[in-house]
Amino acid sequence: MSAVDPSEALPDVLTVPDLPATDRGEGARAARLPFALRGGFVSLATILLVLLAWWLAASLRLVPPLFLPSPEAVLAKLVVVWREGYVDATLPSHLLASVGRVFGALAGAAAIGVPMGLAIGLSPFARGVIDPLLEFVRPIPPLAYLPLVVIWVGIGEASKLLVIGLAMLAPIAISTATGVRAVSRERVNAARALGASGGQVIRHVVLPSALPGILTGLRIALGAGWSTVVAAELIGARAGLGFMIQSASQYLATDIVVMGILVIAAVAFALEATLRWLERRFVPWAGRVGG
């Protein structure tokens, strides 16, 4: 019996490097770049330049304060609204109201969109039924539904959650379906060969493999919902960042409007960073090992 090279007996999956060649190449190129040319420094420099241009335009009165308040005025208003409030609520109260609406709508959209995506990816019949509905909903701006939603469910919290949920549904369903269709056929066949039932294949093979796509859909949906909540709060709200901005605009309180916009941008950035961290934490294999 001829000797066998141990390296040849190992399965391919055990010899996959920690990072693909493309990632190693990009990492090596990034390491060779001067610090001043790296992405993080460039992004920080861009933000600082924008802030400097804003400060100069306000200080030199290139734009009247009514249209562009200075950074100092916006920061001072942030402290005042945080401590004393505006339109009967402090800034944390407005922020919590908006975040609560977004995550409430996200939970509902995920509860509907993930099963829809699984059905689209697993069943040609379900794909034929659901795809036209998604393609009908997806290109229509969610705010176009707002008058109809108000007629159906009134101006309470249900209408806001429904409008925000409509903005989130299509990204979650489509990303989930894409993740399901990308599942390795070999893994499914191997599970079936070992006697796994259809439910076990979905639970132990399809869902873990599709998880990166699901998380990507949630990240996209969260951005879409966060951009929709501001407009949804213009109808019958008592608190929320959109309600605060709308109220301030009626009294030409531009400093509060700008402050609210900056808070919205900061929260959106924090949510995006958090979801990216969750992707790295729970699906570190995403984009690294094919199949």
Side-chain angles (χ1 to χ4, degrees):
M1 184 173 181
S2 60
V4 178
D5 187 352
S7 63
E8 296 178 355
L10 290 174
D12 291 341
V13 69
L14 297 180
T15 59
V16 174
D18 291 337
L19 289 175
T22 55
D23 286 354
R24 292 199 307 271
E26 292 175 1
R29 286 193 297 270
R32 291 195 298 267
L33 287 174
F35 177 75
L37 296 180
R38 295 182 187 177
F41 178 82
V42 172
S43 298
L44 179 61
T46 301
I47 294 173
L48 292 177
L49 285 175
V50 171
L51 291 176
L52 178 61
W54 176 18
W55 178 79
L56 287 175
S59 299
L60 299 176
R61 297 299 180 100
L62 300 178
V63 181
L66 177 63
F67 300 105
L68 184 65
S70 66
E72 301 95 312
V74 173
L75 182 60
K77 188 59 66 174
L78 172 66
V79 175
V80 171
V81 175
W82 184 281
R83 293 177 178 174
E84 303 176 9
Y86 184 77
V87 286
D88 301 326
T90 61
L91 182 58
S93 299
H94 288 300
L95 181 58
L96 288 175
S98 295
V99 171
R101 291 182 181 115
V102 169
F103 278 96
L106 180 66
I112 299 173
V114 171
M116 286 178 64
L118 290 173
I120 293 172
L122 296 173
S123 169
F125 176 78
R127 185 185 310 125
V129 173
I130 300 174
D131 259 352
L133 301 177
L134 283 179
E135 291 303 318
F136 174 78
V137 172
R138 183 176 60 85
I140 300 177
L143 295 182
Y145 300 108
L146 188 56
L148 186 60
V149 168
V150 170
I151 294 173
W152 283 351
V153 299
I155 60 174
E157 287 298 313
S159 62
K160 300 173 185 57
L161 294 176
L162 184 55
V163 170
I164 299 169
L166 286 172
M168 295 178 163
L169 181 61
I172 294 175
I174 293 173
S175 296
T176 301
T178 301
V180 171
R181 286 195 290 264
V183 174
S184 171
R185 178 59 56 183
E186 287 76 12
R187 293 178 183 175
V188 174
N189 292 336
R192 287 175 176 170
L194 293 173
S197 64
Q200 289 173 327
V201 170
I202 294 175
R203 186 167 64 252
H204 297 294
V205 179
V206 175
L207 274 176
S209 299
L211 187 57
I214 295 173
L215 289 178
T216 298
L218 292 176
R219 180 159 54 87
I220 297 172
L222 195 57
W226 189 243
S227 63
T228 305
V229 69
V230 175
E233 289 174 346
L234 301 181
I235 306 297
R238 291 290 181 268
L241 295 175
F243 169 69
M244 182 186 72
I245 291 174
Q246 173 67 10
S247 300
S249 67
Q250 293 176 352
Y251 297 99
L252 299 180
T254 315
D255 48 0
I256 294 181
V257 173
V258 174
M259 180 266 293
I261 292 173
L262 293 178
V263 170
I264 289 171
V267 173
F269 178 83
L271 293 176
E272 174 75 9
T274 301
L275 286 177
R276 287 184 180 274
W277 177 84
L278 289 175
E279 286 183 349
R280 293 193 299 269
R281 175 68 176 80
F282 292 104
V283 288
W285 65 87
R288 293 177 181 263
V289 179

